[in-house]
Amino acid sequence: NELFEIKEFVGQGSMGQVYRAIGGKSQRTVAIKISLEQNEFDSPSFALKSLSNEQKIALLGISHPNVLAYLYVNEGNDDTDPYVITEFVEGETLDEFIKTLQAENQEPKEPNIEDAMDLLRQIAAGMQAINDTVIHRDIKPGNILLANHDGRLVPKIADFGVAKIAIDPTRQETFKGIQTISYMAPEVWNQETQTIKVDIYSVGLVFYELLLLKHPLVNQMSDPFDLHEWRTTHLHRVCPDIRGIRSDVDQSVAQVLLRMTAKRPADRPGWKEIVKVLNFEPPQTASVEVDPEILQAIQ
């Protein structure tokens, strides 16, 4: 029961135009994303219109400091275009952040390992919260906003335009959506069942890109604008061992990055393991009691 006054145009996003607005009662600043009609099946609004009720409830129910908060979803009607209201984040995207580092002093300036690991941990924590409910399916640096909280960068994962419910990976969908091809998992290219492992693959590539300031597979391509070569690359070409490029990356982190970008979904770790590795938590070992007679015989 609140009216929001649009204050300014912010930019063009994957779901349409983005505006900054302020609530008349609360004075809360929010972002309003308006999905503009183009044609029936080739329009950002098609994604929004195709969201099921349970997907909307899921998006509105995700509450995590590293996930953009969705406040309201409207499918639109004869008088209004579809739109969503989210929290407003003042800052750049991870993509813009990486491009700034690439251009600094004409020489790429990689983020120091402590700052990079802080971002990796926060993104992983946010993705764990998201994948408890939905599969995002379009993770890329441009869909991660960076808020500045007293000098610390806080990533906010945004743009759920092609998300699907994660609890039932076999359910039929009315809208499958198209991911950004440079971050699209092999099983998506093969039109196989999509699970949260799709997101884990994409996040693994983003982690590489944050640490290296470039996509980890692009050096293995002759034409990064070729759709068919991207398919071949995702299906058959392997990401490098990051320690061969950045020796300051811990061995356990290097290994988990390789596994996150594995070609087979079953070979990728889950978020619980990824978060533990990024936080340098030692693996838990089971306590086993050995029969004293057997122990004596072994000794």
Side-chain angles (χ1 to χ4, degrees), residues 28 70 74 101 122 142 191 235 260:
R28 179 175 185 175
Y70 275 67
N74 187 302
L101 293 178
Q122 292 185 76
Q191 298 184 337
L235 291 180
M260 288 175 73

Side-chain angles (χ1 to χ4, degrees), residues 58-223:
L59 289 178
L60 294 169
I62 298 173
S63 178
H64 192 277
N66 299 119
V67 181
L68 187 73
Y70 275 67
L71 308 174
Y72 184 76
V73 178
N74 187 302
E75 289 182 351
N77 51 44
D78 293 337
D79 298 321
T80 62
D81 291 313
Y83 67 92
V84 297
I85 300 179
T86 72
E87 68 172 309
F88 183 80
V89 176
E90 189 84 55
E92 59 187 352
T93 66
L94 181 60
D95 185 51
E96 292 166 334
F97 173 74
I98 290 171
K99 285 186 167 106
T100 299
L101 293 178
Q102 287 172 335
E104 199 160 306
N105 299 322
Q106 304 303 313
E107 290 288 335
K109 183 181 177 182
E110 296 165 346
N112 71 64
I113 194 62
E114 290 81 11
D115 292 341
M117 288 302 302
D118 185 38
L119 287 172
L120 264 56
R121 291 185 189 108
Q122 292 185 76
I123 293 170
M127 283 306 307
Q128 187 174 26
I130 289 169
N131 283 164
D132 281 345
T133 308
V134 299
I135 305 169
H136 188 291
R137 301 200 302 177
D138 195 20
I139 295 296
K140 58 183 178 182
N143 282 346
I144 300 174
L145 305 174
L146 293 178
N148 193 319
H149 290 182
D150 297 322
R152 184 195 184 201
L153 292 179
V154 176
K156 300 263 188 181
I157 302 161
D159 277 351
F160 291 77
V162 293
K164 70 168 276 193
I165 292 293
I167 52 176
D168 184 2
T170 61
R171 75 195 296 272
Q172 294 297 311
E173 310 158 64
T174 55
F175 177 69
K176 291 187 178 296
I178 301 296
Q179 273 185 273
T180 305
I181 59 172
S182 47
Y183 301 92
M184 201 155 77
E187 59 268 32
V188 182
W189 289 97
N190 287 333
Q191 298 184 337
E192 298 168 352
T193 300
Q194 297 180 31
T195 68
I196 66 168
K197 296 298 182 74
V198 167
D199 285 346
I200 288 172
Y201 180 87
S202 301
V203 175
L205 295 176
V206 171
F207 282 1
Y208 266 103
E209 190 166 352
L210 175 59
L211 290 164
L212 301 178
L213 301 186
K214 61 182 177 182
H215 194 290
L217 295 171
V218 75
N219 281 354
Q220 304 182 49
M221 302 179 64
S222 58
D223 183 3

Side-chain angles (χ1 to χ4, degrees), residues 255-266:
Q255 290 174 349
V256 87
L257 289 184
L258 280 172
R259 291 175 57 214
M260 288 175 73
T261 54
K263 303 306 178 185
R264 295 195 326 144

Side-chain angles (χ1 to χ4, degrees), residues 14-16 34-52 55-56 73-76 81-83 137 160-163 173-178:
S14 64
M15 290 179 65
I34 300 176
S35 297
L36 304 177
E37 290 283 3
Q38 294 167 22
N39 65 57
E40 186 178 0
F41 296 108
D42 185 22
S43 167
S45 63
F46 183 57
L48 189 55
K49 285 184 174 180
S50 299
L51 288 174
S52 67
Q55 284 174 297
K56 292 172 198 166
V73 178
N74 187 302
E75 289 182 351
D81 291 313
Y83 67 92
R137 301 200 302 177
F160 291 77
V162 293
E173 310 158 64
T174 55
F175 177 69
K176 291 187 178 296
I178 301 296

